Amino acid sequence: QSVLTQPPSVSGAPGQRVTISCAGSTSNIGTGYDVHWYQQLPGAAPKLLISGNIHRPSGVPDRFSGSRSGTSASLAITGLQAEDGADYYCQSYDSSLSAVVFGGGTKLTVL
Amino acid sequence: QVTLRESGPALVKPTQTLTLTCTLSGFSLTTSGMCVSWIRQPPGKALEWLARIDGDDDKYYSTSLKTRLTISKDTSKNQVVLTMTNMDPVDTATYYCARHYDDSSPYFDYWGQGTQVTVSS
């Protein structure tokens, strides 16, 4: 059971917009700890997609955007492309555990 | 160019101790605020943070695994080492090392390719 809760799967057709939610609590996201997002392609290491809730590292398309509100965060992907099919993970810090915490991951299927 | 490379045994027996090495390139733990963490991922499952070491040699561990983990660094070799004692089949996973800065909620900007570890007799 992950500290941060994500939907196991989401799907969308090419060109569509999808969002992935990340639900936390008052000991992590709700306290104000930043949320980060990673993309993991099959057989590969995770890749940083969004840092500090909203910031895209160099090279990440602006089709990807992040937001945070209250005890949750979201990743939005617009103009879905086949290559976006991957697992996505949110990550933050939990003060009760004194540890970095990850979501359970969401598998994005591009139909 | 920043890279991290994990190395270690692919197979360990139950109760044995696992030792993994992360070799850093393109950066150093002596840089102010630099840190390295170990993260693992069982097959088909989520990522799990294990341990962290800072350039000041401060160390932090997952509460659930704290008694089994030791993280250390060899600055001269630019390496970070993780040992995990009393290995069990549930510890079968891909183990990653990743770079981050000292922050209240750090993010991992560079990852190694991962090393797969199977625990089986």
Side-chain angles (χ1 to χ4, degrees), chain A residues 38 46 102, chain B residues 4 6 22 24 27 35-39 51-53 96-101 107-112:
Chain A
Y38 302 87
F102 289 92
Chain B
L4 301 91
E6 305 89 348
C22 177
L24 319 178
F27 74 101
C35 312
V36 169
S37 279
W38 284 94
I39 297 153
R52 154 185 166 175
I53 190 165
Y96 297 98
C97 57
R99 185 188 89 156
H100 59 101
Y101 287 91
Y107 59 87
F108 306 102
D109 59 353
Y110 288 91
W111 296 63

Side-chain angles (χ1 to χ4, degrees), chain B residues 31-75:
Chain B
T31 301
S32 178
M34 192 66 66
C35 312
V36 169
S37 279
W38 284 94
I39 297 153
R40 72 178 178 179
Q41 185 175 35
K45 296 189 177 181
L47 300 162
E48 178 185 18
W49 176 80
L50 300 177
R52 154 185 166 175
I53 190 165
D54 300 349
D56 295 337
D57 211 33
D58 290 331
K59 302 162 187 176
Y60 306 84
Y61 297 100
S62 164
T63 304
S64 61
L65 294 167
K66 184 173 185 174
T67 60
R68 300 173 53 206
L69 295 174
T70 302
I71 192 169
S72 62
K73 63 180 174 66
D74 185 331
T75 304

